[in-house]
Amino acid sequence: MGNYFWFSLHINTKTGIALLYDEVSENAYDIRLKLTKEVLTIQKQDVVCVSGSDHSANHRTVTLRRQPVGGLGLSIKGGAEHKVPVVISKIFKDQAADQTGMLFIGDAIIQVNGINVESATHEEVVHLLRNAGDEVTITVQYLREAPSFLKLPLGSPGPSSDHSSGASSPLFDSGLHLNGNSTNTAPSSPSSPIANEPKYEKRWLDTLSVPLSMARISRYKAGTDKLRSNAFEVLALDGVSTGILQFYTAQESADWLRAISTNISDLTLQNMKMANKCCSPSDQVIHMGWVNEKLEGTDSSQLYTFKFLALKGSSFYIFSTPPVSTLDWVRAEKIYNLCEVLFKIHKLWLADDCCLQANLYLGIHQDFDLEDQRPYCFSVMVGHGKSHYFNVELGSELAVWEKSFQRAIFVEVQRTGSKTYMCSWQGDTLCFTVDFALGFTCFDSKTKNVLWRFKFSQLKGSSDDGKTRVKLLFQNLDTKQIDTKELEFQDLTAVLHCIHSFIAAKVASVDPVFIDSQSIARKYMYSN
């Protein structure tokens, strides 16, 4: 059950055993996972012919000679009453079944002495095998997706079943019931493979390969806020899914989740570098990746849908599917100017955070419903008081989004230099400019005469009516008196976000170490 690790730079290559859970049948099947730089491969065990003539790859017919001690040398589980085939659950070393070299644990019994038993109950197959005489010919097919309960240890209890027969249970190994009564008092010669008969081996075979470029991971049950226990699903860009991968321990699940996420992130980085070769220096992709977006107007079940976000040049993009060509960028569902968005991590705000201080200066109130069951959530507040609410799978992803939004906004503020908005007050049409070097300037839109100007450091607070009007409180450097300026904007939220972005970028330019030290997501990760 052990996992093996190889590391090449930041790429995880890894193999290990897991379970594939079928939500319809509620059965879990043994699989082997193989992770490389670009692909996650699912392997299932199968019996393959390794030498000799193989007339039927799927079916093997084997003749067993019952031995006085040990009988047929095998145990079975399952039966039609549980809607599963009868399967060989144990093969006893050096006894009849083992000596053939052609039978394996996980083989479903198809026929006994020519009688089809695919629809037979457990007890019926036990009866046939016990009373089949000294030579028993069985036809088997390896069951690659044997339900996990068929792999219970010998004699261990399974789900409740009918014990009324008193002889055996379909969920217990029935090895003790298959000896029968041998008519031959002398030991029969052991079963052995004939020289020209085909030879078989049980091997792990590739059954599904999921490309990791632009792939996404989900740990939640579809349409719910319920985390799957030690399980997750990987979905490729083309929609191909691994199915639900279950792990035996939380540690194994976390290790695989981290390894797969790392490889997806590294491939995303490669895609970004390729995209940036075709873009001007002012239009570079800073970060992109999958998130879950909470659907608007959902009830307490808090439904989410996958979205692909990108921070590129001056814009924040929201896609339903990733942009794979330069033409795809115009097909975004939403595009927002980075200077006019406000990034917020939920549940993780600390009192000393500089962004929170900037919000307090601006009177930006963030009264969100924080009753969300999912960790690692953030929202992006946009114009006209609207916001998008997102969730990511890992704390490390949250830290990257926090850092990337911060960097993208700061780069855009410095590149833009200034933003001017039309506003009005008492019937006059005015222009309000936020300038990275000069601070705030208000001038008459017709005459261009400057009405007033203040530095960023002079802004001491603000209040607004939640609609269009805002009061900005500036301190006069000479008199130390507060000077209140009232303005009315068509999209007040966008203006307040822009002011916030410019102030935060100004702080970052003066003291970048301080900004780095305020990472909320990273503090949260380290404390956990």
Side-chain angles (χ1 to χ4, degrees), residues 119-145:
S119 300
T121 66
H122 183 83
E123 197 58 49
E124 286 169 343
V125 177
V126 169
H127 180 78
L128 271 175
L129 291 171
R130 289 183 69 193
N131 297 282
D134 286 343
E135 282 202 352
V136 183
T137 299
I138 62 172
T139 299
V140 298
Q141 177 183 10
Y142 187 72
L143 192 65
R144 293 204 301 180
E145 296 181 349

Side-chain angles (χ1 to χ4, degrees), residues 376 394-400 520-528:
Y376 315 129
L394 297 170
S396 56
E397 292 179 286
L398 186 63
V400 171
I520 307 302
R522 275 178 286 168
K523 284 185 180 181
Y524 178 79
M525 285 169 58
Y526 295 147
S527 67
N528 283 271

Side-chain angles (χ1 to χ4, degrees), residues 334-401:
K334 303 280 185 181
I335 304 176
Y336 301 105
N337 185 282
L338 279 168
C339 289
E340 296 177 350
V341 302
L342 184 68
F343 176 90
K344 176 184 180 293
I345 289 177
H346 285 250
K347 301 182 183 177
L348 308 178
W349 286 99
L350 302 179
D352 63 345
D353 178 60
C354 66
C355 291
L356 181 60
Q357 290 172 354
N359 293 345
L360 293 174
Y361 279 131
L362 297 172
I364 296 175
H365 301 294
Q366 301 173 332
D367 297 326
F368 284 90
D369 175 15
L370 295 183
E371 295 304 313
D372 200 309
Q373 298 301 308
R374 298 189 177 199
Y376 315 129
C377 294
F378 66 90
S379 60
V380 181
M381 300 169 70
V382 296
H384 297 289
K386 295 180 180 179
S387 67
H388 294 271
Y389 190 96
F390 302 109
N391 154 258
V392 289
E393 302 288 335
L394 297 170
S396 56
E397 292 179 286
L398 186 63
V400 171
W401 278 113

Side-chain angles (χ1 to χ4, degrees), residues 160-172:
S160 59
S161 57
D162 181 13
H163 294 275
S164 59
S165 70
S168 59
S169 157
L171 304 186
F172 283 70

Side-chain angles (χ1 to χ4, degrees), residues 437-453:
L438 301 175
F440 307 101
T441 303
C442 188
F443 58 90
D444 187 287
S445 61
K446 295 175 184 176
T447 65
K448 307 301 180 188
N449 290 334
V450 173
L451 304 178
W452 49 261
R453 176 175 286 149

